[in-house]
Amino acid sequence: MSFSKDFLWGTATAAYQIEGASDKDGKGPSVWDAFSKQVGKIRNCDIGDIACNHYELYEEDLELMKNLGFSSYRFSVSWPRILSEGTGKINEKGLEFYDRLIESMLKKGIEPFLSVFHWDYPYELYKKGGWLNPESSDWFAEYAGILSERFSDRVKYWVTMNEPQCFLGLGHYTGSHAPGLKLSDAEYLSALKNTQLAHGKAVMAIRENAKSQIQVGIAPTGRVGIPQNETKENIKAAYDWMFAVDQQDFFTVSMYLDPIILGKYPDDMKKEYGSSFISPTAEEFAIMKQPLDFLGFNIYHGPEIQEDGSVCIYSSEIPRTATNWPITPKALYWGPKFLCDRYKLSFIITENGMANLDMVNEQGMVEDPQRNLFLQSYLKEYEKLVDEGYPIKGYYCWSFCDNFEWAEGFAKRFGLVYVDYKTQKRIPKSSAYWFSDYIKQNKGE
Ligand code: BG6
């Protein structure tokens, strides 16, 4: 078994989920600041105003990462911290925070991996129509260009956006995430097109402003099909299910990724969305489809698919996480494999992990053997792809520490490091040490 020497081993977080300092040093509001203050939107009325106070405690967090041997850190930049109104006047203090963060990572030997956008959309731009505004792709490119101009001398790895499926699907279709919209199919597809144009323009802006050899990708998610039996026919059925467009399920993969990697929408878009689907022009596809250096993907679970293409019901024996997500390690084999086969790019798991019922024991420690088992079983599947010669370049566990889990508030703990939100004390869980040992043992020579 052979992970390469430069394999990226790390943990991931997102600005709104950990930073706190929601209105400090010139930061403007985001749609999440506004949404989480509306009664009934977030479990237990939690809000992310303070979260893990990473804005103040980042040194301590990075020191923990260093001591645990996590060689890379995937973090996101808060758009309204850099541009309080989303465009126009740059907030120097916002840039300075990320300068400090990046400098500290580099001093500690941690490779920065930057997500340009992880859902905290500037509220001022939302008021102008947000992703529905035809100018939204230019706003995003302006922001991405500013980040590249400032940080690309030190940051090598970039992803434009995290999980469009979620910030569009949950944020603009079911309304369970910020900004809480329930758009029609036609409006939804128009917002989707604008994010795909935004991705393409951002890739260009990042490259145009780059000060060193950088690598650019994206970090989406999507449904992952696991063949119930490993026959040729069943494998094909699982692949076809994974990349099928399904109007009932916005976690489809192809509708988000085909345009930006293959330069076209999948053929079944028209069938699924009927007259709500209006194909972009050839010029628009040319903007969306920019060469990428890698594909990131967030994978947590996936169902088994039968040979006839039908989805197997999960048996009640399948263990589930604290968010009730089924534990299906094979998703970390079949998901990346199918994605590499279809898109032919280097591949990085940009998120994988679980929420657990973590508690501090009398000795002040947090024992979470379930998470060790989870990681072990998923990584075992992932390793197989390395052995089979797939271009697997990294793995980021979600998450570095417990944090504000969006609509779940602080109720669900995904971290390798426990956070006591009252005192902001950090306690590495036993899984943090397990992951640390795993990295040590599997670091390529
Ligand atoms: C991913 C997101 O969807 O899953 C993370 O990129 C998120 O930001 C994680 O925290 C866990 O999901 P949730 O909805 O339980 O917070």
Side-chain angles (χ1 to χ4, degrees):
M1 208 267 315
S2 43
F3 287 105
S4 61
K5 195 167 183 263
D6 54 359
F7 194 85
L8 298 164
W9 288 110
T11 55
T13 63
Y16 185 70
Q17 295 183 271
I18 64 161
E19 282 179 4
S22 64
D23 58 0
K24 206 159 173 189
D25 294 339
K27 179 184 167 291
S30 76
V31 291
W32 272 96
D33 288 306
F35 187 74
S36 56
K37 284 176 184 120
Q38 289 174 38
V39 178
K41 299 294 186 194
I42 312 292
R43 192 189 281 261
N44 304 327
C45 296
D46 287 337
I47 49 173
D49 282 6
I50 300 173
C52 309
N53 196 15
H54 182 69
Y55 193 77
E56 307 279 347
L57 301 176
Y58 69 92
E59 272 289 355
E60 185 187 326
D61 289 336
L62 296 176
E63 193 63 23
L64 266 176
M65 286 180 210
K66 179 183 126 189
N67 294 340
L68 288 161
F70 303 164
S71 60
S72 181
Y73 174 39
R74 177 178 171 227
F75 66 104
S76 82
V77 174
S78 161
W79 185 348
R81 202 179 284 293
I82 305 302
L83 295 149
S84 62
E85 298 192 357
T87 58
K89 192 168 171 286
I90 299 175
N91 178 28
E92 179 60 25
K93 285 196 167 162
L95 289 171
E96 284 168 7
F97 167 66
Y98 296 102
D99 274 335
R100 293 196 292 279
L101 186 74
I102 292 163
E103 288 300 329
S104 175
M105 276 185 240
L106 294 174
K107 255 189 229 133
K108 297 181 195 334
I110 298 170
E111 181 79 52
F113 186 110
L114 187 153
S115 310
V116 174
F117 176 62
H118 196 132
W119 306 359
D120 47 352
Y121 194 81
Y123 192 70
E124 293 304 319
L125 294 184
Y126 166 65
K127 289 202 298 201
K128 294 184 185 166
W131 290 116
L132 283 167
N133 189 314
E135 286 176 38
S136 55
S137 55
D138 294 321
W139 300 335
F140 187 61
E142 175 188 335
Y143 161 56
I146 293 168
L147 298 192
S148 177
E149 167 77 32
R150 179 73 165 229
F151 304 127
S152 62
D153 56 337
R154 289 156 289 163
V155 176
K156 182 170 174 197
Y157 296 95
W158 295 70
V159 286
T160 52
M161 48 181 78
N162 183 72
E163 298 187 351
Q165 285 85 350
C166 291
F167 72 78
L168 288 175
L170 301 172
H172 295 74
Y173 201 68
T174 67
S176 58
H177 275 192
L181 300 181
K182 293 181 183 176
L183 300 180
S184 66
D185 280 356
E187 289 170 317
Y188 185 74
L189 293 178
S190 150
L192 169 68
K193 181 178 104 173
N194 288 334
T195 63
Q196 289 165 332
L197 289 167
H199 160 84
K201 290 182 186 178
V203 173
M204 287 190 261
I206 293 168
R207 290 221 172 95
E208 272 158 25
N209 289 286
K211 304 272 179 287
S212 66
Q213 277 278 324
I214 52 161
Q215 297 208 16
V216 191
I218 184 168
T221 188
R223 64 192 201 181
V224 169
I226 300 170
Q228 186 182 39
N229 297 302
E230 296 188 8
T231 61
K232 214 171 142 212
E233 294 72 24
N234 204 151
I235 291 171
K236 182 173 182 312
Y239 176 96
D240 288 347
W241 178 83
M242 177 159 160
F243 294 104
V245 176
D246 179 352
Q247 195 269 341
Q248 301 296 315
D249 179 7
F250 50 79
F251 282 99
T252 52
V253 177
S254 56
M255 162 172 150
Y256 296 85
L257 287 186
D258 281 16
I260 64 168
I261 303 178
L262 306 178
K264 63 184 193 63
Y265 275 107
D267 295 338
D268 43 357
M269 281 293 275
K270 190 88 204 148
K271 188 176 116 255
E272 285 296 308
Y273 285 97
S275 59
S276 300
F277 175 65
I278 298 165
S279 181
T281 62
E283 291 74 38
E284 287 172 325
F285 278 128
I287 294 170
M288 293 175 187
K289 186 190 166 203
Q290 296 302 315
L292 294 181
D293 300 296
F294 64 89
L295 172 62
F297 210 84
N298 301 346
I299 297 182
Y300 289 89
H301 54 86
E304 287 191 352
I305 306 299
Q306 302 181 56
E307 198 174 308
D308 65 0
S310 55
V311 182
C312 300
I313 309 280
Y314 289 111
S315 122
S316 11
E317 280 168 38
I318 289 205
R320 287 181 179 257
T321 70
T323 41
N324 204 29
W325 296 354
I327 299 183
T328 59
K330 284 186 182 170
L332 223 62
Y333 174 77
W334 291 102
K337 185 185 180 83
F338 287 159
L339 288 159
C340 288
D341 289 347
R342 187 178 185 90
Y343 297 119
K344 313 217 170 343
L345 286 168
S346 293
F347 186 88
I348 296 173
I349 282 290
T350 33
E351 283 180 31
N352 170 242
M354 70 174 282
N356 193 41
L357 301 172
D358 300 320
M359 294 178 254
V360 185
N361 68 18
E362 283 187 339
Q363 289 73 44
M365 286 153 53
V366 181
E367 305 284 355
D368 57 342
Q370 293 86 349
R371 194 176 273 108
N372 301 355
L373 269 179
F374 178 100
L375 295 175
Q376 188 175 33
S377 59
Y378 275 70
L379 280 164
K380 202 166 153 207
E381 294 294 328
Y382 197 42
E383 280 168 29
K384 286 190 201 161
L385 293 167
V386 179
D387 292 340
E388 288 177 21
Y390 277 86
I392 305 294
K393 306 289 182 197
Y395 174 91
Y396 291 86
C397 181
W398 184 268
S399 178
F400 168 65
C401 59
D402 298 333
N403 60 54
F404 179 86
E405 288 292 345
W406 308 115
E408 297 291 344
F410 297 106
K412 306 292 175 193
R413 293 182 176 272
F414 269 89
L416 293 180
V417 172
Y418 184 92
V419 175
D420 177 333
Y421 294 107
K422 280 207 190 80
T423 61
Q424 291 295 348
K425 186 175 172 200
R426 273 64 164 151
I427 306 172
K429 303 176 190 176
S430 61
S431 58
Y433 298 111
W434 182 90
F435 188 47
S436 173
D437 282 347
Y438 182 90
I439 296 173
K440 256 181 234 138
Q441 283 161 26
N442 290 282
K443 248 204 287 200
E445 291 309 321

